[in-house]
Amino acid sequence: MERNPIFHQTRLRLAAWYTLVMGGILGLSSLGVYSVVAHAYRETIDQGLQSVANALHKSIEPAWQQPGQLQRLAKEFSLELCVAQTNCLPKTTSIKKSITEAANPVNYYIRLLDRSGKIFASGGMEIDNFSVTSALEHWQILTDSSGTRYREITLPLYTQNQISGYLQVARSITDLDQHLAYLKLALVLGLPISMIFVGLSSWWLAGRAIQPVYLSYQQMQQFTADAAHEFRTPLAAMYSTIEAAIKLQQEPKANSGILDVLKRQNRRLSQLVGDLLLLTRIDQKELTGEYQPCCLNDLISDLTEELAFLAVETKVNLSKQVQFSENLYIAGNEEQLYRLISNLIANAIQATSSGGKVTVFLGKSELYAMIKVEDTGIGIAPEHQLRIFDRFYRVDRARSRTSGGSGLGLAIAQAIVQAHKGNIHVQSQPGQGSTFTVRLPLSP
Ligand SMILES: Nc1ncnc2c1ncn2[C@@H]1O[C@H](COP(=O)(O)OP(=O)(O)OP(=O)(O)O)[C@@H](O)[C@H]1O
Ligand SMILES: [Mg+2]
């Protein structure tokens, strides 16, 4: 395939397209995976933060702006609230601890803001270097001076149905950023590596996909070469005969032999063209619509009678054996079935020397009609048995040429059998004879 530029380029193009499409699909899938994972992480963080904030809000709101109540509450819940950075409560740290232990190394902070948004109290982690003044949006992401990002939730605190301050709870999202960075790295590195594998497998797959096309292309080339060769022989013979006729124009007696040669070669050419045409029509399934019930018993009787003269000529004993009394019908094209069986019988007679036997059996199983043509002829060596059904293939070219065969008989037989949805097999021992078995599906 590599030596043929058309197939090589097609394979390359197919592999490139496949890689491109697969690359696009993989890229989109990676993007999808990244978005889903990032969304799931964020959702988990937000839910945790929301429940912590809700719990704190529930406790802080009633005590908010009641003198001494906040300190009492902070003490009660062990909150480390440092009011205005000066009036710090004793560090009893149980909330901070429980939060920190639960999500180490995650940092939390809590802030209380007055109505104008000024920090009134804060707690949780150290927030000295926290430089960002947060807006009062419900959810936001902030970055401190060291670059650490925080997810923050802001809940309003009400006093007599009026917003009197805000509770902010935040959590560092370094762990999320880290996980997502690893995921991104894995995807970014994984994509080109997978593309290399995709590229290699595409090349291999494209090769496999093109292989049958390439094989049939080779067969076509072989067929064209063989057909041209077959046409050349009778054409050359006719040409030289005509040349001789022109030279011998003055001697009318010599012309009769020449005309015989011309007639013979012409018949050979016509037969060749006819065979090729039949093969093409069977290949294109042009004749499958013409199937009718055909009686195989009648076909075999007619053929054994018609070919009896050929058998007598070569002193071969041609007989038939039908293994049942009633007639056996199959749906088919009678002309083609006639051709199929006559090709097999003619081959068997040609391969059998005088005194030998050719027997045609007709049998059946539940689903199939079985036609067997058995001879006691020269047989076929195993290495040829697979190839005899190829177009123009002959085991012994020189011998077949004298008998006028072109090597299309078995190819036609096989094409007819296949068109009738049957199968054909050969069993043979060199020197002992051959048996060709055809199975054809019975009419339903
Ligand atoms: N019964 C057989 N015994 C031995 N060899 C056989 C037999 N049938 C076929 N062959 C071999 O298979 C070859 C192919 O057979 P096929 O019928 O296709 O071509 P052919 O008989 O040479 O020519 P054509 O049938 O086109 O006139 C034959 O040339 C012959 O060598
Ligand atoms: Mg033949």
Side-chain angles (χ1 to χ4, degrees), residues 271-272 275 339 343-344 346-352 373 375 377-380 384 387-397 399-401 403-412 426 428 433-436:
Q271 201 177 338
L272 200 61
D275 283 356
R339 185 71 197 271
N343 277 5
L344 296 180
N347 277 355
I349 295 174
Q350 270 163 21
T352 308
V373 180
D375 66 60
I378 51 171
I380 306 159
H384 295 295
R387 301 208 53 200
I388 49 171
F389 294 98
D390 289 353
R391 292 168 188 194
F392 297 113
Y393 190 82
R394 284 160 301 193
V395 174
D396 184 349
R397 287 197 162 232
R399 189 186 163 118
S400 304
R401 203 175 295 277
S403 68
S406 58
L408 285 175
L410 284 179
I412 290 172
V426 60
S428 185
S434 316
T435 306
F436 284 80

Side-chain angles (χ1 to χ4, degrees), residues 16-85:
W17 273 107
Y18 188 73
T19 313
L20 210 72
V21 171
M22 282 304 287
I25 293 171
L26 277 178
L28 284 178
S29 318
S30 308
L31 216 67
V33 167
Y34 182 83
S35 319
V36 168
V37 172
H39 181 75
Y41 267 134
R42 283 192 197 113
E43 278 288 298
T44 315
I45 285 172
D46 285 358
Q47 275 169 15
L49 213 52
Q50 178 95 49
S51 51
V52 171
N54 283 347
L56 286 169
H57 185 267
K58 214 170 158 187
S59 311
I60 288 171
E61 197 175 50
W64 177 242
Q65 289 206 338
Q66 287 181 26
Q69 283 296 307
L70 197 60
Q71 280 84 346
R72 188 194 58 75
L73 197 80
K75 217 172 191 175
E76 198 179 304
F77 288 100
S78 305
L79 276 169
E80 287 180 26
L81 286 173
C82 280
V83 179
Q85 305 300 325

Side-chain angles (χ1 to χ4, degrees), residues 72-361:
R72 188 194 58 75
L73 197 80
K75 217 172 191 175
E76 198 179 304
F77 288 100
S78 305
L79 276 169
E80 287 180 26
L81 286 173
C82 280
V83 179
Q85 305 300 325
T86 52
N87 189 14
C88 285
L89 293 163
K91 291 197 176 221
T92 39
T93 66
S94 77
I95 278 192
K96 181 185 178 187
K97 242 183 164 174
S98 65
I99 292 171
T100 316
E101 276 168 7
N104 203 21
V106 175
N107 289 323
Y108 280 81
Y109 71 77
I110 303 158
R111 296 196 298 196
L112 289 170
L113 279 66
D114 63 18
R115 203 180 342 190
S116 63
K118 233 173 79 196
I119 296 170
F120 171 73
S122 62
M125 54 160 289
E126 296 295 326
I127 52 165
D128 300 348
N129 58 355
F130 198 74
S131 61
V132 177
T133 323
S134 54
L136 296 172
E137 284 163 28
H138 187 51
W139 285 108
Q140 56 193 325
I141 288 176
L142 310 166
T143 312
D144 73 6
S145 55
S146 66
T148 312
R149 296 190 328 132
Y150 295 85
R151 182 71 167 154
E152 186 187 77
I153 180 169
T154 303
L155 298 176
L157 292 164
Y158 288 94
T159 314
Q160 290 161 357
N161 291 334
Q162 295 272 321
I163 292 180
S164 55
Y166 297 94
L167 165 71
Q168 287 187 325
V169 182
R171 170 203 197 277
S172 66
I173 49 172
T174 325
D175 56 335
L176 165 77
D177 288 344
Q178 245 174 28
H179 287 319
L180 290 184
Y182 287 144
L183 183 64
K184 204 185 274 176
L185 189 75
L187 292 176
V188 166
L189 285 182
L191 199 66
I193 293 170
S194 357
M195 286 314 292
I196 294 172
F197 283 110
V198 168
L200 289 176
S201 46
S202 312
W203 176 251
W204 179 75
L205 280 175
R208 291 212 60 166
I210 289 182
Q211 191 68 21
V213 185
Y214 184 61
L215 281 181
S216 66
Y217 171 80
Q218 275 185 321
Q219 275 171 2
M220 282 281 288
Q221 275 192 325
Q222 185 64 42
F223 177 76
T224 316
D226 288 343
H229 185 79
E230 290 302 323
F231 278 116
R232 212 174 50 181
T233 316
L235 279 173
M238 280 168 77
Y239 182 80
S240 48
T241 315
I242 290 166
E243 253 189 350
I246 292 166
K247 276 187 198 150
L248 297 171
Q249 256 173 352
Q250 320 310 331
E251 298 171 47
K253 269 189 195 163
N255 279 349
S256 60
I258 286 168
L259 285 178
D260 280 347
V261 176
L262 279 178
K263 196 176 155 196
R264 209 171 42 245
Q265 295 302 339
N266 195 279
R267 200 178 45 220
R268 198 172 156 187
L269 262 181
S270 310
Q271 201 177 338
L272 200 61
V273 172
D275 283 356
L276 283 175
L277 212 62
L278 177 65
L279 261 178
T280 317
R281 291 181 74 196
I282 299 170
D283 276 354
Q284 291 174 344
K285 304 209 165 28
E286 265 182 36
L287 307 169
T288 42
E290 300 166 18
Y291 285 179
Q292 284 157 1
C294 304
C295 177
L296 291 178
N297 306 57
D298 290 350
L299 260 177
I300 287 173
S301 296
D302 289 354
L303 273 163
T304 41
E305 267 172 39
E306 274 175 43
L307 292 170
F309 82 95
L310 193 67
V312 171
E313 233 174 60
T314 49
K315 297 196 179 68
V316 170
N317 178 7
L318 174 65
S319 61
K320 66 172 169 105
Q321 276 186 30
V322 180
Q323 289 160 352
F324 42 87
S325 51
E326 77 274 24
N327 281 342
L328 192 56
Y329 284 88
I330 66 156
N333 179 310
E334 197 168 281
E335 211 178 303
Q336 286 184 22
L337 292 172
Y338 185 91
R339 185 71 197 271
L340 157 70
I341 305 166
S342 74
N343 277 5
L344 296 180
I345 301 176
N347 277 355
I349 295 174
Q350 270 163 21
T352 308
S353 44
S354 62
K357 265 179 29 179
V358 172
T359 317
V360 186
F361 294 91

